[in-house]
Amino acid sequence: GRQILEVRDPIHGGIAIDANELEIVDNPWVQRLRNIRQTGFSHLSFPGATHTRYGHSIGVMHLAGQAFDHAYRHWQFERPEVRARLRSCVRMAALCHDLGHPPFSHCMEFAMPPLRTLGITWYRRAADSNRAASHEDYTIAILERTDLSAAIDRSFEFTARHVAALISSDVTVTDDFFIHNGLDHRRLLSQIVSSELDVDRLDYLIRDATFTGARYGQGVDVGWLLSNLAAWPADGQVSLALDTSAIYAFDHFLIARHHMFLMVYFHHKSVIYEKLLQRYVTSDACDWRFPDDLESYLWVDDTSFSQHLRSSSDPLARRIVSQIPYRRVLERHGTPREADVSAEVDALAGEGIDNIAAASTGKLSRYRQFGRKRKNAAPIYVLERITGQPVERVRTLAEATKIFERYADARTIARLYVPPEDFEVARKILGLPTN
């Protein structure tokens, strides 16, 4: 499409958006993300972290286009319009991947209604309609059941269903849109959006590190990782591949993300606000509920829910609004067993001290568990070759790096919080030093 706009992004610089894409960027469902902070309560610990899901989504769209260009730079399509269609589709999937996020991003996902209320019966996950919906389920429903669907149909030579298919593997596509010369490209395009090496992570790591001021994610060599992407055909499908010269940059990327979780996303102040919010929303005192209809959900964001909290007289809501959370009385790090605080919880409860226990567990990879790939995680291949020469050897990412084995263990940070007025007595009960 014809470029008509360049967005100035603090992370990636100029991001070009063409006329067709602009209609989707300007759609109310995408614009809603301006009112949802990227990192929930993190701004209370890191004052710069007021950035939003909107800026992140624009950045992910930009990186998806770059990832496509690098992965397919040597690929021969019969017609240029085939390449253009697939590239546009993966950019739209990247732009729309976070549409369903509730207020405060992941913090409110626990309160989402049953999946059946979203009315997407054809969706594979809908078979388990009694389980709570996730933000991804909401994303699929928004793509399928709102005016955004018609806007995508109007603007592109693909449908909202094709976009949804690159966001969730549970979306079925019955036509041959992703098939070209007998090969299915859906796998690679999906991996650009969500995989062990996806553009979602490449954007949020750098963006969150920049706005929080944390250094862990800022050193990730995004340019090098992207420029070493490739497309590799196997078993009738085209998969994402990485040249072996970028394997150490990949290792660093995974470790940086792991450390961002432990040091930033699991920050003790963010965690207690999330727990207080959860306790309030699930209490009888809270009359706020997720709306049953999608059109009402359009107006459910940080702003509207903050207004609800401000209007509540409930003590938990007042604590969140007034920023007087429970205090951390104990913290342990280690394996889940080493970090267990259940004995201390019982000791405080026995003395009538209200407390909140929270365990945050980080793993290097959510696509690998106990040494085996998650069943729906398609492999990413590593290509060994000297620059400009044919590929000599092909291995999976799991075979090409030892990083998964070295960081196989889960790392848990367990905390115990009490009301500020009970802090000193709680420390005494637990036999801990007091001021």
Side-chain angles (χ1 to χ4, degrees), residues 5 7 25-38 50-55 57-58 301-303:
L5 183 72
V7 172
V25 169
D26 283 347
N27 185 277
W29 282 104
V30 177
Q31 291 295 314
R32 170 183 175 271
L33 299 178
R34 288 183 185 272
N35 295 317
I36 296 180
R37 285 196 191 93
Q38 172 74 9
T50 55
H51 58 303
T52 67
R53 292 269 157 188
Y54 176 76
S57 297
I58 297 287
D301 54 26
D302 287 13
T303 306

Side-chain angles (χ1 to χ4, degrees), residues 9-13 38-39 51 56 59-60 63 198-226 249 252-253 256-257 260 264-265:
D9 180 68
I11 306 301
H12 307 300
Q38 172 74 9
T39 52
H51 58 303
H56 164 63
V60 179
L63 292 184
D198 62 43
V199 291
D200 178 23
R201 295 177 181 192
L202 286 173
D203 182 86
Y204 78 60
L205 273 180
I206 308 296
R207 194 172 297 274
D208 294 353
T210 300
F211 284 103
T212 58
R215 297 279 175 245
Y216 313 103
Q218 289 183 29
V220 174
D221 198 342
V222 174
W224 185 247
L225 287 167
L226 289 175
H252 175 69
F253 161 61
R257 177 179 175 272
M260 279 289 285
V264 176
Y265 306 139

Side-chain angles (χ1 to χ4, degrees), residues 327 329 344 347-348 351 353-355 416-419 421-434:
R327 271 187 79 180
V329 73
E344 287 79 6
L348 291 179
E351 295 292 334
I353 303 292
D354 184 29
N355 64 84
L416 190 55
Y417 301 87
V418 297
E421 58 271 21
D422 294 331
F423 179 77
E424 294 297 339
V425 68
R427 296 275 295 180
K428 203 171 287 183
I429 291 167
L430 298 178
L432 300 169
T434 56

Side-chain angles (χ1 to χ4, degrees), residues 406-420:
R406 291 184 188 134
Y407 283 79
D409 294 336
R411 185 81 179 167
T412 295
I413 306 173
R415 278 104 173 202
L416 190 55
Y417 301 87
V418 297

